[in-house]
Amino acid sequence: MTRQLYAVGNWKMYKTSREATQYIEELAPLVENCRAHVYLAVPYTSIAPASHYAKDTQIVIGAQNMHDAREGAFTGEVASLMLKEAGAKFTLLGHSERRQQFRETDAAIHKKVLRALQDDIQPIVCVGETWQEREKGQAEEVLRNQIMACLGEIPKEEAEKILLAYEPVWAIGTGKTATPEIAQAMHAHCREILGELFGKRKANTISILYGGSVKPDNVAELIAEKDIDGVLVGGASLDPATFAKIAHHCEKGK
Ligand code: PGA
């Protein structure tokens, strides 16, 4: 079974709505006919305008986070149905910046995954170890715990809607990318754990993305690895021409 390929941009807290729509207009012709899925996780305020401008293009718009409740007294939060109505087709969940700066736990991420699936928003679940954990030889165990806690009890038939992103925390925004060998080994490890949860066959259909300082000049060697099915790109997704180059690398090498 061939897995789908993805180039996912994560803008983080960058770009106003006006900047977002200009970007989409520039990116759209550059990724026309790209064989990889081109996703952009944009700030909440840009979801509706970006979705409007991305209509009839190759670009799919999503969010960077959401709350797990359907609605309620949660000041400052956004619910999945609100995202959906604004045009979001997917959301990142459990990004390391959410885990570290906003103290999101695996248990909270698990609830969000369930809610997203229920409301038909595709979850991109992020996992990854810190440098300290890697140095102590705990990277594999950290990933196992995160994946088991975030994706346990997900019905098998829902599993194929999920994307997993392996993002070593030490590689995010640091310019330090994992070597293709490290990334491949960790992706294979993730796939093994997905196999334990959902069965080997299903695990082989789930795309696993690599994230952490991905750039046009390192993406080809990463995507060439057997278990790397795409990339999650922060800084280098902020410029449409750079992100388009990355997206085109994602359709090659397989
Ligand atoms: P980076 O961010 O590409 O800037 O390292 C990746 C991410 O946070 O998803």
Side-chain angles (χ1 to χ4, degrees), residues 16-148:
T16 63
S17 294
R18 182 178 306 193
E19 289 165 339
T21 54
Q22 276 169 2
Y23 177 109
I24 306 273
E25 283 191 321
E26 283 180 51
L27 180 67
L30 302 178
V31 294
E32 214 185 344
N33 306 322
C34 180
R35 280 184 292 115
H37 294 276
V38 180
Y39 279 25
L40 286 176
V42 305
Y44 291 137
T45 49
S46 289
I47 291 174
S51 299
H52 179 75
Y53 274 72
K55 211 167 157 256
D56 303 322
T57 76
Q58 177 80 3
I59 305 162
V60 176
I61 301 297
Q64 300 170 11
N65 183 32
M66 56 171 246
H67 197 274
D68 66 78
R70 180 168 295 277
E71 59 186 3
F74 301 108
T75 302
E77 290 290 327
V78 177
S80 52
L81 288 177
M82 299 170 187
L83 298 178
K84 197 171 161 178
E85 192 185 69
K89 300 284 189 271
F90 73 93
T91 185
L92 304 182
L93 291 177
H95 187 279
S96 69
E97 285 153 16
R98 301 288 325 162
R99 292 174 184 268
Q100 296 203 316
Q101 298 173 40
F102 301 94
R103 297 179 200 274
E104 271 190 30
T105 61
D106 287 325
I109 297 158
H110 181 242
K111 283 203 231 164
K112 293 181 185 203
V113 175
L114 290 174
R115 171 67 63 193
L117 289 171
Q118 193 177 333
D119 290 339
D120 209 20
I121 299 260
Q122 183 180 28
I124 303 183
V125 179
C126 307
V127 295
E129 81 285 357
T130 62
W131 183 248
Q132 236 184 355
E133 289 163 340
R134 169 156 289 274
E135 279 204 315
K136 283 195 206 147
Q138 297 168 342
E140 282 81 3
E141 190 191 331
V142 166
L143 280 195
R144 169 172 293 276
N145 292 341
Q146 288 177 340
I147 296 171
M148 286 288 179

Side-chain angles (χ1 to χ4, degrees), residues 10 12 95 97 167 171-174 211-214 232-236:
N10 171 18
K12 310 192 180 189
H95 187 279
E97 285 153 16
E167 296 203 297
I172 295 178
T174 58
S213 297
V214 172
L232 178 51
V233 189

